[in-house]
């Protein structure tokens, strides 16, 4: 069974940082590109970042470019999202995602940015 377990969220002040993790099981993680999405209350789910299977390159939404960094550790079946210079508009539930199972979502991890 495919499983995503997201963690690392929390409450931070504007300008703060968080590192999110997603531990993956149930498919060949090391050969699969991975992505992060987020969803704020009352809004559609939004693409944040994606990374190649080897971690050689990443793609970012304009809203987070220059502030967030996606990475992965294939030995640990884990994809990360390092978030810095956080803004209140980054408040959302963050999810990891794989293209070949587009309707499969984990529980997500809540990020709240407020003063």
């Amino acid at each position: 069974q495919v499983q995503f377990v997201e963690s690392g969220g929390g409450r931070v002040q504007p300008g703060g940082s968080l590192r999110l993790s997603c531990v993956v099981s149930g498919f060949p993680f090391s050969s699969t590109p991975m992505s992060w999405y987020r969803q704020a209350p009352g809004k559609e789910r939004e693409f944040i970042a994606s990374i190649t299977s080897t971690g050689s390159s990443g793609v970012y939404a304009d809203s987070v470019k220059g502030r967030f960094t996606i990475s992965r550790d294939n030995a640990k079946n884990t994809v990360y999202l390092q978030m810095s210079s956080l803004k209140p508009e980054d408040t959302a539930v963050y999810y990891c995602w794989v293209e070949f199972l587009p309707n499969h979502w984990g529980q997500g991890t809540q990020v709240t940015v407020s003063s």
Side-chain angles (χ1 to χ4, degrees):
Q1 294 179 327
V2 173
Q3 293 187 64
F4 302 145
V5 181
E6 297 98 336
S7 63
R11 184 184 301 274
V12 296
Q13 294 184 347
S17 298
L18 285 172
R19 187 195 192 206
L20 308 184
S21 299
C22 175
V23 179
V24 173
S25 62
F27 67 91
F29 176 80
S30 63
S31 62
T32 306
M34 295 295 301
S35 297
W36 284 96
Y37 282 73
R38 69 186 181 190
Q39 187 167 29
K43 299 181 67 176
E44 293 185 354
R45 190 173 287 113
E46 174 190 17
F47 168 80
I48 297 301
S50 63
I51 190 168
T52 59
S53 60
T54 63
S56 61
S57 63
V59 176
Y60 300 88
D62 287 344
S63 59
V64 306
K65 194 173 298 181
R67 300 187 298 119
F68 291 10
T69 301
I70 188 171
S71 62
R72 66 194 296 159
D73 185 340
N74 284 348
K76 296 182 178 180
N77 279 19
T78 302
V79 61
Y80 304 96
L81 187 68
Q82 178 67 52
M83 307 184 296
S84 62
S85 301
L86 283 162
K87 305 174 181 179
E89 49 264 47
D90 295 319
T91 296
V93 178
Y94 285 71
Y95 302 89
C96 57
W97 180 84
V98 61
E99 188 173 43
F100 80 94
L101 292 174
N103 297 316
H104 187 91
W105 302 92
Q107 81 283 1
T109 185
Q110 175 72 49
V111 172
T112 302
V113 185
S114 67
S115 58

